[in-house]
Amino acid sequence: MEQESGGILRSTVFWQGWSLAATVAAVFAFAANVEYTADGHAPDYVAIFGDAGTEPMWVVNADLEDGIINVRAGSANAPGEDEVYRLWVARQDDPQEIGVLPVNRGRETYPVSRAVRAVLAHGQTLGVSLGPISTDDDESAPTSFDYRATITRL
């Protein structure tokens, strides 16, 4: 009879159970942080920035009917002294800025235009760029993003 070495940490069943528990915990954590509007209905789209298994950097809730995006910062800390994180609709040809992202557990709400709502309704990718606080020119759209997440209908 062959003995197994490595113990519980080499067990596939252990890691499958751990993965299931982490997924359930993440869903409950997300549900507890969903931003509700004044009339009580929940946002219909969500995007989560960050690595699986860690606290999200930002959770983005979008209520496209009302044209509102709510962002809650999780593990995102303030960048350099003269820099900010910006949220974008990450279209290849024409990225559209949504706003400067909160950090250090902050929250922010952004109104979005009908054009941006229409784009987001088709499950677009959101991007986060890191750049200078002030952008004086219109050519400030990033060519690449530091973080990306797909906005998904709930």
Side-chain angles (χ1 to χ4, degrees):
M1 194 178 211
E2 203 175 303
Q3 272 194 324
E4 292 185 29
S5 64
I8 195 167
L9 294 179
R10 292 191 180 242
S11 168
T12 304
V13 173
F14 170 77
W15 289 110
Q16 287 173 339
W18 182 253
S19 174
L20 179 62
T23 301
V24 169
V27 168
F28 279 112
F30 168 73
N33 284 298
V34 168
E35 298 279 335
Y36 289 91
T37 58
D39 62 3
H41 72 273
D44 44 1
Y45 291 84
V46 67
I48 300 174
F49 289 91
D51 296 325
T54 63
E55 180 183 9
M57 293 180 74
W58 295 278
V59 176
V60 178
N61 299 307
D63 183 339
L64 298 184
E65 183 179 319
D66 291 340
I68 299 292
I69 291 181
N70 290 300
V71 179
R72 180 185 58 84
S75 64
N77 293 319
E81 190 174 307
D82 295 330
E83 295 181 310
V84 293
Y85 291 109
R86 287 184 177 11
L87 180 63
W88 299 80
V89 177
R91 299 173 75 188
Q92 270 187 328
D93 303 349
D94 182 28
Q96 304 219 345
E97 184 177 352
I98 295 173
V100 174
L101 287 168
V103 293
N104 302 325
R105 308 231 176 262
R107 294 177 186 259
E108 192 66 51
T109 300
Y110 312 96
V112 290
S113 69
R114 288 192 184 278
V116 171
R117 285 190 246 176
V119 169
L120 291 178
H122 296 289
Q124 289 291 315
T125 299
L126 296 177
V128 173
S129 68
L130 178 61
I133 289 175
S134 65
T135 55
D136 296 333
D137 59 82
D138 292 333
E139 301 297 320
S140 62
T143 55
S144 66
F145 295 97
D146 297 291
Y147 304 98
R148 290 178 170 267
T150 301
I151 192 159
T152 307
R153 187 173 183 96
L154 294 175

